[in-house]
């Protein structure tokens, strides 16, 4: 909702009940995360940061794509899908390299599925 209100070309207005629903959803997610931090032996703050970042980027991307389609109607869905995948790839690869998860995923794919071709097809197609 925040992204939709600030992206040029959209500038959406939402009714009061949607703001209340959003606040309740956020409070619920915070309480769930805090409860998980106290009960789960494998809780990771990095995971919470990564999921939160993904949610922010996802909200931005959906609203941004809608603004592009509104301002430039001749844009095809295939162009939009390609650009969002290519633009998002560095944001996915960087944390995977820093945490070592890229190599874990590579080893798993190598053993089970046959390496890079399958790994890349899964990484680039939603």
């Amino acid at each position: 909702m925040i992204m939709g209100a600030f992206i040029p070309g959209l500038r959406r207005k939402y009714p009061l009940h949607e703001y209340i629903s959003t606040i309740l959803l956020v409070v619920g997610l915070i309480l769930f995360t805090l409860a998980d931090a106290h009960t789960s032996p494998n809780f990771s703050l990095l995971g919470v940061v990564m999921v939160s970042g993904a949610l922010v980027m996802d909200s931005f991307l959906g609203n941004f794509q809608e603004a592009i389609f509104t301002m430039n109607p001749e844009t095809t869905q295939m162009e939009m899908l390609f650009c969002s995948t290519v633009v998002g790839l560095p944001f996915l690869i960087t944390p995977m390299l820093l945490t070592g998860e890229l190599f874990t995923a590579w080893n798993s794919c190598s053993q089970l599925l046959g390496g890079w071709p399958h790994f890349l097809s899964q990484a680039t197609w939603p």
Side-chain angles (χ1 to χ4, degrees), residues 1 9 18 29 34 41-42 44 46-47 49 52-53 61 65 72 77 79 84 87-89 106 110 112 116 118 120-121:
M1 288 180 75
E18 288 192 27
L29 287 172
L34 292 174
N42 295 328
S44 170
L46 178 62
V49 170
S52 299
L61 184 63
Q65 286 177 344
N72 192 8
Q77 290 181 353
E79 290 172 331
S84 63
V87 168
L89 198 59
W106 164 250
S110 293
L112 299 174
W116 274 108
H118 192 298
L120 289 176
S121 71

Side-chain angles (χ1 to χ4, degrees), residues 3 5 9 14-15 26 30 33 46 51 67 78 85 92-94 96 99:
M3 294 293 185
Y14 297 99
V26 169
I30 290 170
T33 301
L46 178 62
V51 167
M78 189 62 94
T85 303
L92 296 173
I93 294 292
T94 303
M96 288 180 74
T99 61

Side-chain angles (χ1 to χ4, degrees), residues 44-51 90-107 119:
S44 170
L45 185 60
L46 178 62
V48 173
V49 170
M50 290 177 73
V51 167
F91 293 104
L92 296 173
I93 294 292
T94 303
M96 288 180 74
L97 281 170
L98 293 174
T99 61
E101 291 295 321
L102 181 66
F103 305 110
T104 304
W106 164 250
N107 289 334
F119 180 76

